[in-house]
Amino acid sequence: MDFLSNVERASALGGGFLAVVAAMMILTLVLRRVHVVARMRLRVAILFQLSGVAGILLSAALLSADFDPASFIFGIVRDVSDVLLAVSIVTILGVILFDFVLEPLRMRPPPILTDLILAAAYVAGTILVLGHIGRDLSSVLTTSAIATAAIGFSLQDTLKSVMGGMSMQMDRTVRAGDWIRVDSHEGRVTEIRWRQTSIETRDGNTVVIPNSHMASTPVTIVGKHGNAQRKTRHWIHFEIDHGVPTGQVIETVEGALRESPVPGMAPEPEPDCILVDVRNASQTFAARFWLRDLEDDVGPDSVARFRISAALQRIGVGFSFPTQSLLLHPKDESHLERSQAQEHRTKLDALSRVPVFAPLTAEEREALAKKLVYTPFSAGETVTRQGGSAHWLYMIVRGTAVVRVANESGGAERRVALLGPGDFFGEMALLTGAPRSATVVALSEVVTYKLDKDSFLETIQARPSMAEEISRLLAQRRVELDAVREDLNEEGKRQRLTTAQRDLLSRIREFFRLH
Ligand code: CMP
């Protein structure tokens, strides 16, 4: 028998040996050229091909030399060569399927699943080839089952990691490119392997986390929420002394961060500032903004801190020191006196801004200031409720409040007026004894000084000329309310205003016996 027919006898491919091997080699070389990434795998395939072909040629040579085909040596050389060729064919088919068909269709399975499919294909190819050349596979299968059980038992920990990695890749919870936080480590996933996941931190370090740990510990996928664009919220905490108006700090910080956005910050949702704690004579605030660029959180953080600090300094507010103040009474009277004097000045200032109190002399103002009570409201709080009973009159020093009224049938409330610094409200019910005519709600932080009913009435009685100004204001407000309730037009309002003012003035004078 000639050498060529011995080659065909030795190979599982039989008569197709030469054609298949030649086609396989050409295909491998072409694929290596066009697919750079698959080169490594194809290099191994070439190695297998060459070894397989060499083995088959050796087997054919042995046959030509009348070597016993039933001998153990011949059997081993031939079996191994055939299996190597089969593995090489599977590798090439795998590259074609995964890299040239599924990859462009974006259907390529995760790496671990690809490995599993290939491993199954290698086993199937081996069994097919050995079966084809008449080998008894039952002993091979039994031995491999026992070996698998033994390996599984001794490599429990490793298998746990492998299973962790597999499940992570199969359900695609974590993918390469995601930002994740595991324990104290945060970084971008660079690769997920069978046993471990590697992340690259912002400081340029690579942290290798065993998949078994990833499977048993909470993993935060930073900035991932649904299909929305990736962004994560960043918090900056700072402390301000207790006496500084909360709303003013919030307004200033929000303004500083919104007016000129910090690089790396997402424009939506807008940055905001909230009060998170009040203790030890200071208020703790948090400025919050959304980071778009997870790569760099320290840069935007630094810019934002600088902005906040500068904006607060511009309004004369500094960060509070972590101190504990010890107020010693009664020995340190001067401290108490100083703060009382300061507050008194603020009250006088507030009074001077209200036009109705303009006619008061300095002494009268001094006396009235002593009766004012500092009363702040946070945004959204109701100061007076329509229909409620009246005990106080309020003077606004800071912020804006809205006056709303519901019509007689109790329908939806309508806005009647906006009040700001220098305005006062709550006088109607105090002067007439009627329930509150409207609801007043703070729109921002509102700082007011309130005056109780008796002090207010005393002040008017002492200075009757105030009644004029008050009746004018009262008439105006009454007409606005009537207009909302009764749908009055401009002409109707004008007519009613003249009569209302005259009527109210005489009623106030009569009520307080101001003649
Ligand atoms: P009072 O009725 O005591 O309580 C609600 C207050 O809202 C009322 O006093 C007024 O001070 C104020 N108010 C009512 N109507 C107006 C208005 N049109 N413009 C401004 N303030 C008003």
Side-chain angles (χ1 to χ4, degrees):
M1 226 186 270
D2 64 355
F3 185 73
L4 195 59
S5 48
N6 278 337
V7 167
E8 289 171 0
R9 228 178 107 202
S11 164
L13 294 166
F17 176 80
L18 275 183
V20 173
V21 167
M24 202 160 64
M25 286 185 162
I26 293 168
L27 197 56
T28 314
L29 293 175
V30 173
L31 290 180
R32 277 201 72 198
R33 277 214 156 265
V34 292
H35 203 292
V36 184
V37 183
R39 266 192 190 168
M40 185 61 204
R41 268 175 293 148
L42 290 169
R43 196 179 301 161
V44 177
I46 292 176
L47 200 73
F48 283 3
Q49 276 164 27
L50 294 178
S51 322
V53 171
I56 294 294
L57 294 180
L58 178 63
S59 308
L62 290 174
L63 285 178
S64 303
D66 286 336
F67 206 82
D68 179 10
S71 71
F72 177 74
I73 301 271
F74 178 81
I76 278 286
V77 173
R78 180 193 167 176
D79 291 1
V80 169
S81 314
D82 277 325
V83 168
L84 284 175
L85 285 175
V87 167
S88 166
I89 292 176
V90 169
T91 307
I92 293 167
L93 292 180
V95 169
I96 293 174
L97 176 69
F98 293 119
D99 295 87
F100 287 91
V101 179
L102 296 181
E103 179 88 59
L105 294 175
R106 295 176 169 274
M107 285 168 58
R108 192 193 171 112
I112 290 181
L113 188 56
T114 313
D115 290 354
L116 275 179
I117 295 171
L118 281 176
Y122 288 142
V123 171
T126 306
I127 292 174
L128 213 72
V129 166
L130 293 180
H132 189 70
I133 54 177
R135 291 281 173 240
D136 175 18
L137 292 175
S138 57
S139 63
V140 177
L141 291 178
T142 320
T143 319
S144 59
I146 294 170
T148 311
I151 291 169
F153 194 70
S154 57
L155 296 178
Q156 277 186 48
D157 278 348
T158 313
L159 280 180
K160 237 192 263 169
S161 276
V162 170
M163 296 313 280
M166 264 168 62
S167 65
M168 249 179 0
Q169 292 218 5
M170 300 292 185
D171 57 21
R172 291 181 183 259
T173 349
V174 176
R175 300 172 193 219
D178 281 350
W179 274 87
I180 62 168
R181 192 182 312 124
V182 182
D183 304 330
S184 58
H185 306 292
E186 186 172 322
R188 191 182 335 92
V189 176
T190 45
E191 60 174 355
I192 304 172
R193 302 285 289 268
W194 280 87
R195 219 184 61 72
Q196 81 272 355
T197 298
S198 304
I199 60 171
E200 216 171 78
T201 67
R202 292 188 181 92
D203 293 339
N205 303 321
T206 296
V207 182
V208 178
I209 308 165
N211 290 338
S212 58
H213 185 64
M214 300 263 294
S216 60
T217 217
V219 176
T220 308
I221 303 176
V222 183
K224 189 169 172 180
H225 41 138
N227 291 327
Q229 197 196 9
R230 189 166 63 183
K231 54 183 179 242
T232 183
R233 186 146 69 183
H234 192 77
W235 293 59
I236 296 176
H237 290 92
F238 56 94
E239 300 203 341
I240 300 288
D241 287 344
H242 205 15
V244 181
T246 312
Q248 192 179 13
V249 174
I250 291 178
E251 215 172 88
T252 308
V253 170
E254 287 184 346
L257 295 179
R258 285 178 190 176
E259 271 153 33
S260 20
V262 172
M265 182 191 279
E268 284 290 326
E270 282 197 308
D272 65 0
C273 177
I274 54 168
L275 176 70
V276 288
D277 201 3
V278 180
R279 70 166 80 161
N280 291 343
S282 67
Q283 316 173 64
T284 307
F285 292 88
R288 307 180 301 175
F289 57 88
W290 290 85
L291 265 180
R292 215 168 356 123
D293 183 8
L294 306 189
E295 198 91 23
D296 178 21
D297 64 340
V298 203
D301 181 283
S302 159
V303 176
R305 276 177 205 275
F306 196 2
R307 288 250 173 99
I308 293 169
S309 151
L312 289 174
Q313 280 179 44
R314 285 198 292 274
I315 57 159
V317 173
F319 295 125
S320 67
F321 298 104
T323 51
Q324 271 192 320
S325 45
L326 200 58
L327 293 180
L328 297 175
H329 297 292
K331 284 195 179 150
D332 188 9
E333 286 293 333
S334 61
H335 176 85
L336 197 63
E337 277 165 19
R338 270 202 312 277
S339 58
Q340 278 173 348
Q342 167 69 36
E343 201 187 348
H344 187 67
R345 276 198 298 277
T346 319
K347 287 175 180 175
L348 280 176
D349 186 45
L351 276 180
S352 70
R353 286 200 238 153
V354 180
V356 169
F357 296 115
L360 298 185
T361 63
E363 292 85 60
E364 282 168 333
R365 245 183 250 174
E366 284 282 336
L368 191 58
K370 290 200 178 108
K371 293 176 182 156
L372 297 181
V373 182
Y374 175 75
T375 315
F377 294 92
S378 62
E381 268 188 284
T382 300
V383 186
T384 71
R385 192 172 294 283
Q386 187 174 353
S389 44
H391 304 290
W392 304 95
L393 169 131
Y394 300 87
M395 266 172 266
I396 301 182
V397 186
R398 231 183 81 76
T400 326
V402 63
V403 183
R404 294 193 194 129
V405 68
N407 57 20
E408 246 98 84
S409 55
E413 283 188 336
R414 283 172 60 188
R415 170 174 163 164
V416 197
L418 267 188
L419 303 176
D423 288 330
F424 68 93
F425 60 92
E427 79 295 341
M428 283 187 174
L430 285 192
L431 286 171
T432 57
R436 293 286 191 201
S437 61
T439 297
V440 180
V441 179
L443 284 185
S444 59
E445 180 196 36
V446 170
V447 177
T448 70
Y449 279 106
K450 65 180 185 183
L451 189 63
D452 69 60
K453 192 172 177 170
D454 293 337
S455 309
F456 177 54
L457 301 185
E458 251 172 51
T459 312
I460 298 198
Q461 274 170 333
R463 168 86 29 198
S465 61
M466 271 175 64
E468 290 253 353
E469 174 67 15
I470 290 187
S471 68
R472 200 180 50 75
L473 199 87
L474 214 65
Q476 238 167 30
R477 291 182 170 183
R478 171 71 45 85
V479 170
E480 288 296 338
L481 287 179
D482 289 351
V484 170
R485 290 200 194 107
E486 300 169 31
D487 257 342
L488 292 183
N489 62 14
E490 282 308 311
E491 183 52 32
K493 279 184 359 191
R494 224 184 342 267
Q495 282 171 6
R496 198 167 287 190
L497 186 65
T498 337
T499 48
Q501 186 175 353
R502 217 176 310 125
D503 176 47
L504 276 166
L505 182 60
S506 68
R507 271 174 54 193
I508 292 173
R509 284 187 171 148
E510 213 166 289
F511 189 59
F512 296 110
R513 298 195 192 88
L514 300 180
H515 298 293

